[in-house]
């Protein structure tokens, strides 16, 4: 594998692990522990799930305000707040693991729609919740503001009766 010269562009098709290795060699610096953890994160292996020990139906609301991915066309960064709400069945996601999963998108070239759908599908398939909804609210760029919303009732994956309280 040939390392590009420092003034050349890194190809868009690189995954985050290769990108991290190239960046490390170009900078001549050792990766910091956070960069290494994020670049080596494997969702199939590292997404830690815990047993739900409650028999109650309850909502878990998680807000991840620092989502970042790269535009597949321009390479510019896209930022978003990811909001996840779900009613667990047998499993819940460990919070540090979901943070690392979301941060693993940082060096990926992926559209808003594909990022939101991938996050939703990955978490839904891993957790198998009674109900799940995800909202990806992307910061405006180029005078365009995008919000992607998914929920398991709408997609036909569940038919959970939603009765939310406003706090």
């Amino acid at each position: 594998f040939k390392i590009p010269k420092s003034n050349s562009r890194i190809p868009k098709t690189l995954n985050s692990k290769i990108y991290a290795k190239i960046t490390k060699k170009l900078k001549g610096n050792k990766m910091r522990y956070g960069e290494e953890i994020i670049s080596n994160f494997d969702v199939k292996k590292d997404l830690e799930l815990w047993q739900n020990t409650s028999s109650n139906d309850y909502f878990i609301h998680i807000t991840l305000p620092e989502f970042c991915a790269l535009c597949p066309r321009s390479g510019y960064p896209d930022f978003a707040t990811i909001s996840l709400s779900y009613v667990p069945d047998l499993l819940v996601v460990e919070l540090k693991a979901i943070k690392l999963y979301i941060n693993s998108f940082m060096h990926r070239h992926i559209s808003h729609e594909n990022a939101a759908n991938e996050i939703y599908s990955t978490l839904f398939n891993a957790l198998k919740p009674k109900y799940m909804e995800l909202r990806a609210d992307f910061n405006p760029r180029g005078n365009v503001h995008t919000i992607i919303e998914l929920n398991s009732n709408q997609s036909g994956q569940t038919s959970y009766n939603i009765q939310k309280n406003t706090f």
Side-chain angles (χ1 to χ4, degrees), residues 57-163:
D57 278 357
Y58 60 98
F59 269 92
I60 296 175
H61 302 282
I62 301 170
T63 303
L64 301 146
E66 298 177 350
F67 176 85
C68 178
L70 301 174
C71 173
R73 183 174 194 172
S74 68
Y76 288 129
D78 285 321
F79 301 96
T81 297
I82 305 292
S83 301
L84 173 71
S85 296
Y86 68 101
V87 177
D89 190 9
L90 301 176
L91 300 170
V92 297
V93 67
E94 194 273 331
L95 296 177
K96 182 177 179 183
I98 195 169
K99 174 187 80 168
L100 294 173
Y101 172 53
I102 294 300
N103 287 343
S104 74
F105 283 81
M106 190 179 305
H107 298 297
R108 288 184 53 195
H109 293 86
I110 188 167
S111 70
H112 297 175
E113 299 82 3
N114 288 345
N117 277 282
E118 182 178 322
I119 293 165
Y120 174 86
S121 294
T122 297
L123 294 174
F124 188 86
N125 291 332
L127 293 168
K128 296 177 182 32
K130 294 179 181 178
Y131 173 79
M132 177 181 279
E133 61 188 35
L134 183 128
R135 177 183 168 103
D137 186 350
F138 285 85
N139 292 358
R141 190 163 63 82
N143 200 32
V144 177
H145 180 207
T146 307
I147 299 172
I148 313 294
E149 296 179 321
L150 301 115
N151 77 60
S152 56
N153 282 358
Q154 188 176 33
S155 65
Q157 294 168 307
T158 62
S159 58
Y160 191 78
N161 184 12
I162 306 168
Q163 294 180 348

Side-chain angles (χ1 to χ4, degrees), residues 3 7 22 26-27 39 53 56-57 66 92 126 146:
I3 304 296
N7 61 354
I22 290 172
L26 290 176
K27 291 180 180 178
S39 67
T53 58
N56 297 323
D57 278 357
E66 298 177 350
V92 297
T146 307

Side-chain angles (χ1 to χ4, degrees), residues 16-17 19-21 23-24 28-37 39-40:
S16 61
K17 290 180 185 179
Y19 178 86
K21 288 178 184 176
T23 302
K24 179 181 168 185
N29 297 333
K30 183 179 177 187
M31 272 198 289
R32 290 167 177 84
Y33 74 94
E35 293 170 316
E36 194 169 332
I37 290 168
S39 67
N40 293 324

